C-alpha cells in the first residue's frame, strides 16, 4: 500500500496538494471495497467490456480493481500490489511521486486530463471525457502516451465509485502530427521551389544564379524535413542507428546558421551564433545533434517577435559539452510543465508538439545527453542539451 508523503497541514510553505485532495482511505476499508467490486457481476462485466484500460476507483481516487488488459500490458502479476494506488501510480507516470500526496497532488497534475476528468465527474455526477498526455516509465525509459480518458461516477447502494476508462489514441496523435507538421512544412518548401522555378522559367530578368541558389537551398531543406521524419519514426520504433564520430563544433554551429539563413521562422528576426575555436571537437552523432539544435532554434525563433534576437552558444560545463539556445520571454507555467510531452503544443491547431518531444528523445535516449530548459522574466527561455563528458 503506498504511503502518503504529506507534511503538516499547518505548514504554510508545503501544501498537502497542488490539485486534487491528498487523503486516502484506510487500508482495511480499501480491501473491503475491493472485495465488494470483485464480487459484483456488474463491475466484472464492465471490466471486460471495453478494449482499453479500465480502473474502478473509490472516492479517494484509489484503485479497487482493473481489467486484465491493463495488468497484462503493465506486467502486473499480483493485483493486490496495486490495490489502493492511484491511476498515475499504476501507470508509472513520472510525476506520480512528485506531489505531497502522490498521484493527483503535484503541480503537473493540474494539467493532467485523467485527474481533471476524475475530479470533474465526481463533482458534477456525470461522465466526463478528457485527453491525457502522459509520460510513463517503461523498462527504465520514459515513453509518451496519449489517452482519451472517460471518468464515470457509479453509485452502488451507499457507496460511490468511479469507472475510469483509458483508450490509447497515440496512433491518431502521430498521424495528426504528421499531417500538421510534416505535410505542412513539406508543402511550404515545395511552394518555394515552385515559385523560384516559375521565376526562372517565365521571367527573362530573373538572375539565374540567384534562382538556382534558392532552389538548391530549398531542395536541401526538403531533404532534411523528410529525413527528420524518417529518423523520428525509426527512433520511436527503436530501429534508429547512431553513428558516434569526432565532429568539429564549428561545423555543427555553421550548419545551424546555414539552415536558418532563408528560413521562414527567421524572417525579420536575428540569429546570433557565437564563434568557437576551430580546434574544438566532440564525439557525437552530428546529424541527430543538428536536428536537436535545429528544433530548439526553430522553436525559439517562432516564439519571438520581429526584431528580436535568438542566441546560440557552446560551452563546457564541468567537462561536459553543452549547447544553449536562448530567446527573450518567459514560458507560462502551465505550458512549461508540459513542454516535452508528445502532441502538446502552444500552437492553436491540433496535431503539433513534435519538436520538443523529438529533442528529448534524440538528445537523451540516443545521444545519452540531458535536454532541459529554464525560463524566467529576467533570463528569458534557455533550452540546452548537455552531452556525456567523454564527448
Amino acid at each position: 500500500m503506498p504511503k502518503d508523503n504529506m507534511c503538516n497541514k499547518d505548514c504554510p510553505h508545503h501544501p498537502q496538494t497542488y490539485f486534487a485532495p491528498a487523503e486516502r482511505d484506510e487500508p482495511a476499508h480499501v480491501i473491503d471495497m475491493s472485495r465488494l467490486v470483485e464480487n459484483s457481476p456488474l463491475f466484472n462485466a464492465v471490466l471486460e467490456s471495453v478494449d482499453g484500460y479500465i480502473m474502478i476507483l473509490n472516492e479517494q481516487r484509489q484503485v479497487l480493481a482493473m481489467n486484465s488488459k491493463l495488468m497484462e500490458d503493465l506486467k502486473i502479476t499480483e493485483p493486490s500490489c496495486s490495490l489502493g494506488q492511484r491511476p498515475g501510480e499504476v501507470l508509472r507516470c513520472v510525476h506520480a511521486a512528485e506531489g505531497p500526496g502522490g498521484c493527483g497532488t503535484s503541480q503537473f497534475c493540474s494539467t493532467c486530463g485523467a485527474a481533471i476528468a476524475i475530479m470533474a465527474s465526481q463533482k458534477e455526477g456525470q461522465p466526463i471525457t478528457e485527453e491525457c498526455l502522459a509520460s510513463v516509465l517503461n523498462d527504465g525509459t520514459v515513453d509518451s502516451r496519449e489517452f482519451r480518458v472517460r471518468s464515470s461516477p457509479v453509485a452502488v447502494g451507499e457507496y460511490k465509485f468511479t469507472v475510469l476508462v483509458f483508450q490509447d489514441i497515440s496512433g491518431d496523435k502521430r498521424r495528426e502530427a504528421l499531417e500538421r507538421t510534416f505535410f505542412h512544412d513539406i508543402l511550404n518548401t515545395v511552394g518555394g521551389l515552385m515559385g523560384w522555378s516559375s521565376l526562372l522559367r517565365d521571367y527573362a530578368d530573373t538572375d539565374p544564379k540567384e534562382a538556382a541558389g534558392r532552389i538548391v537551398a530549398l531542395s536541401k531543406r526538403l531533404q532534411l524535413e523528410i529525413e527528420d521524419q524518417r529518423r523520428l519514426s525509426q527512433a520511436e520504433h527503436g530501429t534508429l542507428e547512431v553513428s558516434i564520430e569526432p565532429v568539429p563544433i564549428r561545423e555543427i554551429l555553421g550548419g545551424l546558421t546555414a539552415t536558418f539563413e532563408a528560413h521562414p521562422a527567421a524572417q525579420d528576426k536575428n540569429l546570433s551564433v557565437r564563434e568557437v575555436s576551430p580546434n574544438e571537437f566532440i564525439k557525437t552523432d552530428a546529424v541527430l545533434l543538428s536536428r536537436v539544435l535545429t528544433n530548439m532554434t526553430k522553436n525559439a525563433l517562432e516564439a519571438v517577435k520581429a526584431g528580436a534576437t535568438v542566441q546560440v552558444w557552446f560551452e563546457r560545463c564541468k567537462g561536459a559539452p553543452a549547447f544553449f539556445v536562448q530567446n527573450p520571454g518567459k514560458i507560462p507555467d502551465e505550458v512549461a510543465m508540459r513542454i516535452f510531452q508528445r502532441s502538446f503544443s502552444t500552437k492553436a491547431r491540433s496535431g503539433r508538439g513534435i519538436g520538443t518531444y523529438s529533442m528529448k528523445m534524440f538528445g537523451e535516449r540516443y545521444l545519452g545527453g540531458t535536454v532541459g530548459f529554464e525560463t524566467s522574466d529576467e533570463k528569458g527561455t534557455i533550452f540546452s542539451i548537455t552531452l556525456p563528458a567523454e564527448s
Side-chain angles (χ1 to χ4, degrees):
M1 181 71 62
K3 297 180 180 179
D4 286 348
N5 182 24
M6 298 187 295
C7 66
N8 188 292
K9 66 172 63 178
D10 298 323
C11 174
H13 302 296
H14 300 286
Q16 288 182 305
T17 180
Y18 289 96
F19 185 58
E23 293 76 15
R24 301 187 191 231
D25 199 359
E26 292 294 328
H29 195 243
V30 170
I31 293 173
D32 290 342
M33 291 298 95
S34 175
R35 287 171 179 163
L36 187 154
V37 169
E38 184 181 346
N39 293 327
S40 165
L42 171 63
F43 280 126
N44 278 298
V46 168
L47 284 170
E48 302 306 327
S49 65
V50 177
D51 185 22
Y53 296 163
I54 306 179
M55 302 179 188
I56 308 297
L57 312 180
N58 64 6
E59 292 185 80
Q60 291 77 27
R61 311 184 314 284
Q62 294 172 268
V63 175
L64 302 176
M66 49 192 162
N67 66 336
S68 56
K69 179 174 175 56
L70 174 57
M71 290 189 286
E72 289 170 7
D73 287 359
L74 297 185
K75 299 179 175 62
I76 298 173
T77 56
E78 185 50 63
S80 61
C81 294
S82 300
L83 186 63
Q85 291 186 340
R86 286 177 171 150
E89 294 156 4
V90 173
L91 293 172
R92 301 167 194 145
C93 170
V94 297
H95 303 300
E98 295 180 12
C103 170
T105 66
S106 79
Q107 291 175 306
F108 292 91
C109 299
S110 63
T111 64
C112 171
I116 292 170
I118 295 169
M119 294 296 293
S121 70
Q122 289 183 342
K123 179 181 179 181
E124 298 176 19
Q126 62 183 13
I128 299 292
T129 301
E130 295 281 348
E131 284 191 4
C132 175
L133 311 180
S135 298
V136 300
L137 285 172
N138 181 19
D139 293 330
T141 62
V142 178
D143 285 342
S144 288
R145 300 287 299 275
E146 291 93 354
F147 297 102
R148 181 175 292 109
V149 181
R150 187 170 179 82
S151 178
S152 303
V154 176
V156 178
E158 61 182 298
Y159 301 114
K160 294 180 180 179
F161 302 92
T162 297
V163 177
L164 191 65
V165 179
F166 291 83
Q167 293 283 357
D168 193 332
I169 57 172
S170 301
D172 294 337
K173 289 296 181 180
R174 287 192 189 96
R175 284 189 291 274
E176 285 180 10
L178 280 173
E179 291 171 3
R180 295 293 190 183
T181 55
F182 179 49
F183 295 136
H184 175 267
D185 292 344
I186 289 289
L187 287 173
N188 277 348
T189 305
V190 170
L193 281 170
M194 292 175 65
W196 279 99
S197 300
S198 297
L199 283 174
L200 190 60
R201 181 192 64 188
D202 298 333
Y203 295 92
D205 58 347
T206 301
D207 183 344
K209 287 189 176 180
E210 180 187 2
R214 293 296 184 97
I215 290 172
V216 169
L218 287 166
S219 298
K220 287 182 178 178
R221 188 193 303 169
L222 184 63
Q223 180 185 25
L224 286 174
E225 287 165 352
I226 294 171
E227 288 180 348
D228 201 20
Q229 291 299 327
R230 180 173 61 85
R231 289 190 189 95
L232 180 59
S233 178
Q234 290 175 334
E236 289 194 309
H237 289 89
T239 60
L240 181 64
E241 295 183 0
V242 178
S243 177
I244 305 296
E245 296 178 342
V247 57
I249 295 170
R250 179 174 282 188
E251 179 181 305
I252 295 287
L253 296 179
L256 192 67
T257 301
T259 297
F260 288 97
E261 278 179 345
H263 198 286
Q267 186 174 357
D268 300 325
K269 300 164 188 176
N270 305 306
L271 179 61
S272 173
V273 181
R274 296 182 195 173
E275 285 288 328
V276 294
S277 166
N279 299 320
E280 282 274 22
F281 282 76
I282 55 173
K283 287 184 178 181
T284 190
D285 186 307
V287 173
L288 291 185
L289 177 59
S290 293
R291 301 321 297 158
V292 172
L293 294 176
T294 296
N295 278 323
M296 286 184 179
T297 306
K298 181 181 178 184
N299 281 0
L301 288 166
E302 290 178 339
V304 299
K305 297 179 180 179
T309 298
V310 169
Q311 299 187 62
V312 181
W313 71 93
F314 168 84
E315 63 183 75
R316 292 190 182 271
C317 303
K318 298 181 180 179
F323 295 83
F324 301 85
V325 178
Q326 187 268 347
N327 66 268
K330 179 181 181 292
I331 300 175
D333 292 341
E334 64 273 15
V335 173
M337 289 189 292
R338 308 175 70 190
I339 205 75
F340 289 119
Q341 289 180 317
R342 185 176 61 197
S343 300
F344 174 74
S345 174
T346 57
K347 309 285 194 306
R349 295 177 301 172
S350 63
R352 306 287 293 192
I354 289 294
T356 50
Y357 163 72
S358 67
M359 291 177 205
K360 195 83 167 171
M361 182 169 59
F362 288 144
E364 296 188 350
R365 190 182 302 180
Y366 288 91
L367 296 181
T370 302
V371 175
F373 71 96
E374 58 178 287
T375 185
S376 66
D377 291 320
E378 297 76 21
K379 294 183 178 180
T381 299
I382 304 175
F383 274 83
S384 65
I385 175 169
T386 303
L387 298 171
E390 60 269 19
S391 297

